[in-house]
Amino acid sequence: MKIRYALTMIMLAGMGTFATAQDGEKLFRSNCASCHSIGKGKVVGPDLKGINDIRDEKWLISWIKSSQKLIKEGDTLAKRVYAENGNVPMPDAFISEAEIKTVLSYIKTKSDEPATVAVNNPQTTPAPVTPGVSMPMIKFSFTEYLLAGMIVFLL
């Protein structure tokens, strides 16, 4: 019985780690992606690929919370970033510092991924499609598989 409890706690702890990465992606998509990309070039604001390597986390958190506050306080870097981006103000973030750290972690993870390049190769042909037959692809996350396995294990 103690082993089952210990394994359940280990699985739940692992699920928390994956949920954090997924939360960072959700937060990025809902709060940042309309103005920023990660490795796809400038949108309204700068491309954020590698931002964790060129800016201090404490400064990034302050900037994300309120870029205009930093500028008004006279932060030299904040003024420069603001000017480099056409003096377009970044809206203040209405998420917690912990959530900002989650987004920064997601940006770091995406920044560290190798770039994918689409190659136009005329020698490759797509798989034939059978008319009238459609097979939906159902993809499950690791967390969903883990949860299903835990339920089966506990039963």
Side-chain angles (χ1 to χ4, degrees):
M1 190 62 122
K2 289 181 183 181
I3 293 173
R4 184 179 286 180
Y5 177 75
L7 288 173
T8 303
M9 296 311 292
I10 291 170
M11 285 187 220
L12 289 173
M15 286 172 55
T17 303
F18 289 105
T20 302
Q22 290 173 348
D23 290 344
E25 181 177 6
K26 282 182 184 176
L27 286 166
F28 180 84
R29 289 182 190 268
S30 63
N31 294 288
C32 314
S34 61
C35 297
H36 298 281
S37 75
I38 304 171
K40 295 181 181 174
K42 182 175 178 147
V43 183
V44 174
D47 186 332
L48 298 178
K49 182 175 179 129
I51 196 70
N52 305 70
D53 298 328
I54 59 174
R55 302 278 187 261
D56 175 66
E57 182 181 83
K58 184 178 175 184
W59 186 88
L60 284 169
I61 291 169
S62 296
W63 173 263
I64 294 167
K65 280 183 178 180
S66 179
S67 63
Q68 293 303 299
K69 180 180 175 190
L70 272 181
I71 292 165
K72 288 175 186 171
E73 290 174 350
D75 184 286
T76 309
L77 179 56
K79 288 179 178 180
R80 191 181 77 200
V81 170
Y82 182 62
E84 287 173 356
N85 290 282
N87 295 330
V88 175
M90 182 173 129
D92 292 350
F94 293 103
I95 59 176
S96 70
E97 187 169 320
E99 290 171 318
I100 292 172
K101 287 181 179 181
T102 302
V103 171
L104 291 173
S105 177
Y106 169 72
I107 292 169
K108 175 140 182 63
T109 300
K110 291 299 285 182
S111 295
D112 292 343
E113 289 179 358
T116 56
V117 179
V119 178
N120 186 7
N121 186 348
Q123 295 178 355
T124 60
T125 57
V129 177
T130 307
V133 176
S134 95
M135 297 190 58
M137 278 300 270
I138 300 173
K139 294 183 180 181
F140 295 102
S141 70
F142 178 77
T143 305
E144 291 168 323
Y145 280 115
L146 191 61
L147 184 59
M150 186 172 69
I151 291 169
V152 169
F153 177 75
L154 291 174
L155 291 176

